[in-house]
Amino acid sequence: MQPHEFWQKLYAPETFDVQGVHETFFPATLDDGRQLQLPIRPLVDKQHALASLIVNQAAFDVVDALSDDLAAKLKVFEPDVIVGLPTLGLTLASEVARKLGHSRYVPLGTSRKFWYEEELSVPLSSITTPDQIKRLYIDPRMLPLLDGRRIALVDDVISSGTSIVAALNLLNARALKPVVIGAAMLQTQRWRAPLEQLGAEFAEMTRGCFTTPMLKHGDNGGWTIAG
């Protein structure tokens, strides 16, 4: 596949063998069995790799399907407001809010506006930009939408857990706590430990459209599910 062809189509259940050897893509599987081709990104050691999702490059039909799925999973928690993480999580968060019948959502940001307050920010890094330490902000004008409300915290991918932990710390600075955490992709299980360090309930309240495993390089080439 060409790079621009990923994330553009959902395939029928069992189109691809999840347990087999994967050359260029891993077939993520939604709860209803439909599959999405995700490019494989080798890690620094070249022996392990992850499946990748860039949701704002996905076809509108794919974003629609993922937001439908996630909205249904979050609805049972009866959130009053969706809070989205930058940057890619904002695409998904806005769509999920619309599916839930909300008129708006609350985007967190990494660009400091002159009216922002430093005490309403925390350091932020992510697995895709490990060398860039930014700050995550809540616009103080959005606080009336959050105080005393049932919050759903939404990102596109939860991988190492660092972005979600930063968002939880930011909400906690205002004595806020989500009732549910959602993402399109839960990438491996590495995120669980950092969330559980903040509280076991955070890992338990996390929902995703699909989960992808760590991959390992096979002796005969290609990638297979590790462990």
Side-chain angles (χ1 to χ4, degrees):
M1 294 182 68
Q2 297 299 311
H4 65 278
E5 295 176 327
F6 286 107
W7 315 304
Q8 301 306 302
K9 180 180 177 181
L10 284 166
Y11 293 83
E14 300 183 358
T15 298
F16 307 107
D17 178 13
V18 175
Q19 299 298 325
V21 177
H22 309 289
E23 299 295 335
T24 59
F25 71 89
F26 179 83
T29 304
L30 278 67
D31 288 349
D32 64 8
R34 288 180 296 171
Q35 295 181 307
L36 180 64
Q37 293 175 304
L38 305 179
I40 293 173
R41 309 294 193 197
L43 300 180
V44 175
D45 67 2
K46 306 298 184 183
Q47 297 304 306
H48 295 87
L50 297 170
S52 172
L53 172 67
I54 307 295
V55 74
N56 67 355
Q57 295 179 9
F60 296 143
D61 286 347
V62 171
V63 175
D64 200 44
L66 295 178
S67 56
D68 273 339
D69 182 276
L70 190 58
K73 290 174 177 173
L74 302 189
K75 185 176 181 179
V76 298
F77 293 87
E78 301 180 340
D80 300 315
V81 60
I82 305 298
V83 174
L85 272 77
T87 300
L88 300 180
L90 301 183
T91 297
L92 186 63
S94 64
E95 289 300 311
V96 168
R98 286 166 54 89
K99 304 288 186 182
L100 291 173
H102 297 182
S103 62
R104 66 189 300 176
Y105 80 113
V106 173
L108 302 181
T110 56
S111 176
R112 190 182 193 280
K113 311 305 181 186
F114 70 83
W115 62 86
Y116 282 14
E117 301 171 7
E118 200 65 19
E119 58 268 27
L120 290 177
S121 72
V122 294
L124 173 68
S125 64
S126 73
I127 190 171
T128 53
T129 56
D131 298 327
Q132 299 180 30
I133 304 298
K134 307 175 183 178
R135 293 195 73 82
L136 184 65
Y137 295 91
I138 296 177
D139 186 331
R141 301 180 303 171
M142 298 293 102
L143 293 177
L145 302 176
L146 302 177
D147 289 336
R149 311 297 296 279
R150 294 177 63 82
I151 297 169
L153 186 60
V154 171
D155 204 355
D156 61 325
V157 176
I158 301 178
S159 182
S160 64
T162 55
S163 296
I164 288 293
V165 166
L168 290 170
N169 287 334
L170 181 57
L171 292 176
N172 185 61
R174 185 67 184 188
L176 299 171
K177 181 179 177 181
V179 296
V180 64
I181 299 167
M185 177 167 73
L186 303 179
Q187 191 181 59
T188 77
Q189 297 293 319
R190 296 179 301 163
W191 54 271
R192 283 190 170 274
L195 266 65
E196 289 173 347
Q197 288 181 357
L198 291 182
E201 70 274 19
F202 293 120
E204 294 304 314
M205 69 172 63
T206 300
R207 300 291 184 271
C209 299
F210 54 83
T211 299
T212 57
M214 180 69 72
L215 301 172
K216 64 179 180 180
H217 198 264
D219 294 336
N220 297 321
W223 302 92
T224 59
I225 295 175

